[in-house]
Amino acid sequence: MTPPPETAALIVAAGRGVRAGTGAPKQYRRVGGEAVLTRTILALLAAPAVTRALVCIHPDDGALYEAAAPMDDRLLPPVHGGASRALTVRAGLEALAAGPCGPPDAVLIHDAARPFVSPRLIAEVIAALDADQGVHDGAMAALPAIDALWRADEHFGELRCAAPLPRAGVWRAQTPQGFRFAAILAAHRANTDESSADDAAIARAAGLSVALVPGGEDNFKITTPADFARAERLVGAEMSETRVGQGYDVHAFAPGDHVTLCGVRLAHDAGLKGHSDADVAMHALTDALFGALAEGDIGRWFPPTDPEWKGAPSEIFLRKAMERLGARGGRLANADVTIICERPKIGSHAGEMRLSLARIMNVAPERLSVKATTSERLGFTGREEGIAAMATATVALPGTDIEGSPS
Ligand code: MG
């Protein structure tokens, strides 16, 4: 009754997936700011029983894969897939068998385009493999056919109902499909039908016994643009916490020939006084992000008493705030920066500043706003004693991020 001590996940990501629209193959397109494949890999590695994972990719997708692969020691180097799904899985199984850890005891074969596989389903497929003490060589997730089934034919170019099909006992296959490793490797080696629908079909053709485990409606295969919209809704429901932070900063003018604002150097007849590069606008924005996370301010993360940050480019601070946002599982909705000074004139540089921030923060420029105003010659900014900046940042955090959050 003990579960297989070594279970590998084999993720099939070699398809071209053109049905979901143009651009990158669908497994590399983003849902909620993260590639579908990244989500799928993380979902499988989150299962306690999974000790390693291997992804089969298309030979042209090496760079896309590198960008999507999470940092995890259990993730093995990717393997190039073949001309059919059967050949792709075969290549992955052979790589697992020949790998440095030797063949695993069991393997979960899973579609890259099913990122919402639940920990429960993964555990149940693994459990079904050994629940009958060796009776089954495999276990497949599937859902019962609910709708009436019809065979259609074409009549003068139009689809037409031909005949109803019996629905009783009919199930729709999902993945993961789990197998005893030696059994499914032998079945794939013996398989001559490259058009096999999935691995359960190859297993059955080889005479293996495959248990059926009730799957999940959320474990759907992202295929069409409508599926992407559904996936975004699912991720959006997880991102239930919206938070706003504000930041404010002032730096005084000092002798100099330029100021740096939002990472852009502007010639001026004075400079700004400060421990770092005195980028007052970027400081306000960074504090807005730390504020939204309730993680203090720049001074907490980069103490001004520390000589290491003297003259430092302020993008180090901003990158740290974005890194903290990512570590909390959040993402930026938008940020708005207002620079307050009489001179230098900001307006014609605001677009460049926005692009500079977008590059540093790795977000779309459309999520950022940089604007400027004067204080009508009133107060310290009006007397040109310094520059002030204000910023707000709106972020989405996972609803489970905060303990005791209102439900
Ligand atoms: Mg400052």
Side-chain angles (χ1 to χ4, degrees), residues 175-200:
T175 66
Q177 300 183 358
F179 302 93
R180 299 183 184 284
F181 185 79
I184 194 66
L185 178 60
H188 265 274
R189 284 175 175 170
N191 177 53
T192 53
D193 180 9
E194 277 187 36
S195 67
S196 303
D198 57 14
D199 303 287

Side-chain angles (χ1 to χ4, degrees), residues 8-16 25 27-28 37 40-41 44 52-62 64-66 68-69 75-97 107-113 181 188 199:
L10 197 167
I11 297 165
V12 187
R16 302 321 280 153
Q27 61 271 33
Y28 297 104
L37 177 61
T40 304
I41 294 171
L44 285 160
R52 55 187 129 138
L54 181 144
V55 184
C56 298
I57 66 170
H58 190 279
D60 294 345
D61 292 347
L64 287 169
Y65 175 81
E66 287 308 319
L75 190 57
L76 302 172
V79 168
H80 288 174
S84 66
R85 190 184 196 283
L87 289 173
T88 294
V89 172
R90 166 91 187 267
L93 294 173
E94 296 287 359
L96 283 172
V107 60
L108 293 178
I109 302 170
H110 188 66
D111 297 327
F181 185 79
H188 265 274
D199 303 287

Side-chain angles (χ1 to χ4, degrees), residues 249-251 280 283:
D249 197 24
V250 174
H251 281 254
V280 60
H283 294 179

Side-chain angles (χ1 to χ4, degrees), residues 147-152 163-168 170:
D147 302 320
L149 298 178
W150 278 81
R151 193 167 51 74
L165 297 171
R167 189 177 57 195
V170 173

Side-chain angles (χ1 to χ4, degrees), residues 80-143:
H80 288 174
S84 66
R85 190 184 196 283
L87 289 173
T88 294
V89 172
R90 166 91 187 267
L93 294 173
E94 296 287 359
L96 283 172
C101 331
D105 299 293
V107 60
L108 293 178
I109 302 170
H110 188 66
D111 297 327
R114 295 186 194 269
F116 299 114
V117 58
S118 68
R120 175 199 64 79
L121 182 56
I122 294 171
E124 286 182 5
V125 168
I126 291 172
L129 268 180
D130 55 22
D132 297 312
Q133 300 200 350
V135 169
H136 297 299
D137 299 296
M140 174 180 92
L143 287 174

Side-chain angles (χ1 to χ4, degrees), residues 248-251 273-274 276 278-280 283-284 287 298 314 317:
Y248 175 73
D249 197 24
V250 174
H251 281 254
K273 201 155 68 179
S276 63
D279 191 331
V280 60
H283 294 179
D287 275 350
I298 294 178
S314 294
F317 312 150

